[in-house]
Amino acid sequence: MISTKIHTAFNEQINHEIYSGYLYLSMAAYFISLGLDGFANWMRVQRMEEEAHAMKFFDHLRDRGARIELDAIDKPKVKWTSPLDAFKAAYEHEKFITSKINGLYKLAEKESDYPAKGLLDWFVKEQVEEEASTSKIVQMLGRIKDSGSGLVMLDKELGKREFHG
C-alpha cells in the first residue's frame, strides 16, 4: 500500500512534470517567433518527454490503487532575452526537477517504499541526461555568442531531435 506522503508527493510531481512540458512548449513558441524552427523542435520534443514523465507517475499511482489528483498549472514565462537565456532557464529548471526527484527518492527510502524507489531509479538516471543535454546547449550557445552562422548551424542540428517515447 502506498503511504499518504508518497501519494501526495507523486501527485505534486505530476504537476511539476506537466508544468515542465508547458514551459518547454512556451519556449518552443518563443523560438518560432525568432524563426529558429530547430530550437523550437528541440523544445517540442522536450515537452513530449516531460508529458511522458508525468504519465509514469500517473500510471504508478494508478497501478497502486492511489487516487490521481491533478492541480492547476501555472502560466509559464513567454519571452526570453536570447536563445542562450532560454536554454539557461531550461537548465535551471532541470536542476529544480532534479532536486524534486532527489527529494522523492529520500522520501521513498524513509517510507521504505520499494516500488516508488524502483520508479525513481529511472528518474535519477534520466535527470542526469536532462541536465547534461541542456548544459551542453548552454555551453554551445555561449561559444557561438552573436555568430549568426553558428546559430544557424546549431538550429539545424537541434532540428534533428526526435521523440523516442
Side-chain angles (χ1 to χ4, degrees), residues 46-132:
Q46 191 66 22
R47 176 197 59 87
M48 289 184 263
E49 283 193 8
E50 300 304 338
E51 288 178 0
H53 295 170
M55 292 311 298
K56 284 182 180 286
F57 285 102
F58 187 100
D59 292 342
H60 183 86
L61 289 174
R62 178 205 61 207
D63 292 347
R64 295 186 68 192
R67 182 161 170 76
I68 299 151
E69 300 170 13
L70 302 179
D71 202 357
I73 305 298
D74 292 336
K75 180 180 178 180
K77 185 174 178 176
V78 297
K79 192 172 183 182
W80 291 265
T81 59
S82 67
L84 177 58
D85 184 42
F87 265 95
K88 282 181 178 179
Y91 177 58
E92 290 303 315
H93 184 73
E94 288 303 333
K95 291 193 311 185
F96 167 76
I97 294 297
T98 297
S99 74
K100 293 297 181 184
I101 296 297
N102 290 343
L104 290 173
Y105 198 91
K106 288 176 190 174
L107 179 61
E109 284 184 325
K110 182 180 175 190
E111 297 286 308
S112 298
D113 189 328
Y114 302 107
K117 281 179 62 175
L119 173 68
L120 292 166
D121 282 334
W122 183 88
F123 276 98
V124 168
K125 293 175 191 167
E126 176 68 7
Q127 282 309 118
V128 170
E129 293 174 19
E130 298 280 7
E131 286 189 32

